[in-house]
Amino acid sequence: MSDTEHTSEFEPAEPNATDGHEAVDVFGDAEEFDLRPGADSCYKCSSCDTSCPVAEVDDDFPGPKFQGPEQWRLTQTDEDFEVDESVMSCSNCMRCDDACPSGVPLSQMHNTTRGRYVDEQMSKLSVEYWRNRILANYRTSAFFASKVPRLANFAMNFGPARWVMEKTMGITSEREFPAFATETFREWWASEGAAAGSRKRARANRDRRGEPVDADKNVAYFHGCYANYNTPEVGKALVSLFEHFGYEVVVPEQGCSGTPMFANGMLDDARRDAEVNVSSLSDLVDQGYDAICSCTSCSMSLRQEYPELFDFEGTADVAAHTYEAVEYLRIHEDLSGAVAEADVAGELAEEFAYHAPCHARNQGLDRQAVELFRDLDGVDVEDVGDSCSGISGTYGWKEEKYDTSMAIGEEMFEHMEHAEGETGMTECPTCAMQMEHGTGYEIRHPLEVLEAALVDGT
């Protein structure tokens, strides 16, 4: 008998596709965005886990791969599955997004899973829930504190009061609270004539530089919470700098960007403020304005997290027209050329130890300050490495996370201590808190240095 001769009498049956079979819809008709394609793209290479600063110092933290695609699959396929509470140990640094070679939307999965944990499993009567909600809604407490800034600054940094907050609320007593400004940025903006004054000043600046006035150079400043209540000098520097280049600056109605809310699983709170932000900014985008931010976490939120988590009308347009402030000038103006022709004297003629925030790295902005200032006379900027600062917004303010936060930041502290200068530089306000806390350095924003070089120096 030939080896090729077929002797089986088996006849394959016809598929039973029409034999009353009903396909099982594993994922159902969920109202949330379908993350299944992203989860299926994960091939468990563990690049995200090796890039995670929390996993590096905390052996009990299972890492982004588990918190992302693995927990997400379980929440979609098992009705009785309870989200592991370790998801609250994720700092929302979003480094895992950058590390993933397959484009898995890890931080989006973390945000949705964290939101589910808070909604369904965290007791709304617990101290942890209300502590997290107060920290996440910093804008609310800052609003009231700014009405009596001197009293608030004294009370919140009074030793016994900090001890009580740690024992009753779990807010670490190791950190000093940032000072509230005696005049908020929005108060200053209102007194300076708002948009009409901005256009007039911008035209004057352009005329002095001998260039034609461009009526289409319009930007909307999303200042966020910290530049408004704590560091209005950063907002003022941004306005001064953009007017120097002939832009009209407007300051629209706005809430918090939502970054601290995402990190604490308070998605309903984030949705509330996001709706306000998208509504006001999308109207301006329709009129030809671009949105600019002085905080890289704010620009990251508007650019990435809003489109991932919300579907308001105008969300995509706002995301597409949002920029970090220095990035915007580098794209639309000869900022490098202007810096090369300038110099800095006085208190800002320094050697700076520069830290790129994680949310700047995620936007491809981690080298821009070093590259920009290398040709600026009077200023030397040294990159202190690619480590995370460790504070991650509200994360490092929690008593139980404080030691983890400081362990993550140790590498950055050591690099700063060995840098030539004793002044730090960063775009992120909470990274600035951590840099100052760990080294004692004074911290400045790149916008302040640019204003000194290009506006005050002219």
Side-chain angles (χ1 to χ4, degrees):
M1 182 183 292
S2 168
D3 290 341
T4 60
E5 186 175 345
H6 179 69
T7 60
S8 172
E9 295 180 356
F10 173 76
E11 295 292 340
E14 291 292 326
N16 63 351
T18 59
D19 191 21
H21 174 74
E22 293 185 5
V24 177
D25 187 356
V26 174
F27 290 87
D29 296 325
E31 293 182 0
E32 298 176 358
F33 292 104
D34 185 4
L35 294 171
R36 177 174 38 180
D40 289 345
S41 295
C42 175
Y43 59 92
K44 302 183 184 301
C45 69
S46 298
S47 293
C48 58
D49 288 344
T50 58
S51 72
C52 175
V54 178
E56 184 177 357
V57 301
D58 182 359
D59 292 338
D60 293 328
F61 183 64
K65 183 174 65 177
F66 172 76
Q67 305 298 353
E70 293 181 13
Q71 279 221 91
W72 189 83
R73 288 191 191 101
L74 290 169
T75 61
Q76 303 302 306
T77 58
D78 183 354
E79 291 182 0
D80 297 325
F81 175 77
E82 289 193 343
V83 175
D84 192 274
E85 66 179 356
S86 62
V87 73
M88 298 304 290
S89 291
C90 167
S91 68
N92 200 39
C93 70
M94 303 172 74
R95 282 179 170 245
C96 50
D97 283 352
D98 237 11
C100 180
S102 300
V104 176
L106 288 152
S107 63
Q108 184 180 5
M109 292 176 176
H110 298 161
N111 281 331
T112 55
T113 304
R114 193 160 42 239
R116 176 170 177 169
Y117 175 81
V118 171
D119 285 345
E120 299 178 6
Q121 295 171 230
M122 182 179 280
S123 170
K124 305 306 181 290
L125 300 178
S126 67
V127 171
E128 181 184 6
Y129 173 82
W130 285 103
R131 185 273 311 273
N132 289 358
R133 189 156 193 187
I134 290 170
L135 288 175
N137 286 273
Y138 173 74
R139 181 173 178 268
T140 301
S141 54
F143 171 81
F144 290 107
S146 69
K147 302 303 179 186
V148 284
R150 292 183 177 85
L151 176 60
N153 292 337
F154 171 78
M156 296 183 73
N157 283 306
F158 182 53
R162 287 163 58 188
W163 181 86
V164 169
M165 280 191 284
E166 178 172 294
K167 298 304 179 185
T168 61
M169 299 178 62
I171 297 175
T172 182
S173 61
E174 296 292 332
R175 298 185 185 276
E176 290 189 6
F177 283 90
F180 292 100
T182 54
E183 180 185 50
T184 68
F185 170 77
R186 293 191 74 93
E187 289 170 345
W188 171 83
W189 176 254
S191 70
E192 290 295 308
S198 178
R199 169 60 76 188
K200 182 177 179 180
R201 291 191 299 268
R203 287 180 179 275
N205 282 324
R206 296 277 283 183
D207 287 341
R208 281 198 298 272
R209 293 168 62 210
E211 299 178 9
V213 175
D214 187 346
D216 294 327
K217 298 180 70 169
N218 308 307
V219 292
Y221 177 32
F222 187 89
H223 50 68
C225 306
Y226 203 78
N228 185 40
Y229 294 111
N230 300 94
T231 55
E233 63 273 11
V234 172
K236 294 175 186 178
L238 180 146
V239 171
S240 177
L241 187 62
F242 273 77
E243 288 178 349
H244 174 77
F245 281 101
Y247 287 85
E248 177 194 3
V249 181
V250 299
V251 181
E253 178 188 4
Q254 58 192 263
C256 176
S257 69
T259 297
M261 300 165 187
F262 297 139
N264 286 282
M266 307 292 176
L267 298 190
D268 288 340
D269 291 352
R271 175 176 288 272
R272 175 200 65 215
D273 280 5
E275 192 166 12
V276 172
N277 298 334
V278 170
S279 176
S280 62
L281 289 173
S282 62
D283 286 345
L284 288 167
V285 167
D286 288 343
Q287 298 172 43
Y289 287 78
D290 290 317
I292 55 171
C293 306
S294 53
C295 169
T296 48
S297 291
C298 289
S299 59
M300 188 75 186
S301 185
L302 270 63
R303 278 172 139 169
Q304 177 174 324
E305 289 172 302
Y306 280 18
E308 287 181 344
L309 297 169
F310 307 126
D311 56 359
F312 311 124
E313 183 179 354
T315 300
D317 286 342
V318 169
H321 288 85
T322 296
Y323 301 83
E324 188 274 334
V326 177
E327 172 197 27
Y328 189 85
L329 289 177
R330 293 185 78 195
I331 293 171
H332 294 91
E333 305 293 337
D334 182 16
L335 186 59
S336 296
V339 167
E341 295 177 0
D343 60 67
V344 175
E347 64 175 12
L348 284 180
E350 299 271 7
E351 292 181 337
F352 291 94
Y354 172 72
H355 167 73
C358 294
H359 291 172
R361 296 180 183 280
N362 293 346
Q363 297 172 80
L365 306 177
D366 49 308
R367 292 290 299 172
Q368 75 169 5
V370 176
E371 294 170 356
L372 183 62
F373 292 126
R374 65 171 46 138
D375 295 324
L376 179 58
D377 288 343
V379 168
D380 184 35
V381 176
E382 181 178 346
D383 192 336
V384 294
D386 62 357
S387 61
C388 176
S389 75
I391 192 169
S392 293
T394 63
Y395 188 87
W397 283 91
K398 300 171 184 177
E399 188 272 335
E400 74 276 14
K401 300 290 192 296
Y402 175 77
D403 287 342
T404 301
S405 167
M406 295 301 288
I408 294 170
E410 186 61 34
E411 183 179 344
M412 180 190 70
F413 302 147
E414 290 180 3
H415 287 171
M416 290 182 67
E417 293 289 359
H418 288 93
E420 292 295 327
E422 294 186 358
T423 302
M425 178 189 290
T426 189
E427 296 94 338
C428 173
T430 55
C431 287
M433 292 180 204
Q434 182 82 326
M435 295 166 77
E436 183 177 10
H437 180 65
T439 64
Y441 289 7
E442 182 183 7
I443 314 299
R444 307 306 290 257
H445 194 288
L447 289 169
E448 296 179 88
V449 180
L450 284 173
E451 180 194 29
L454 304 182
V455 181
D456 296 344
T458 57

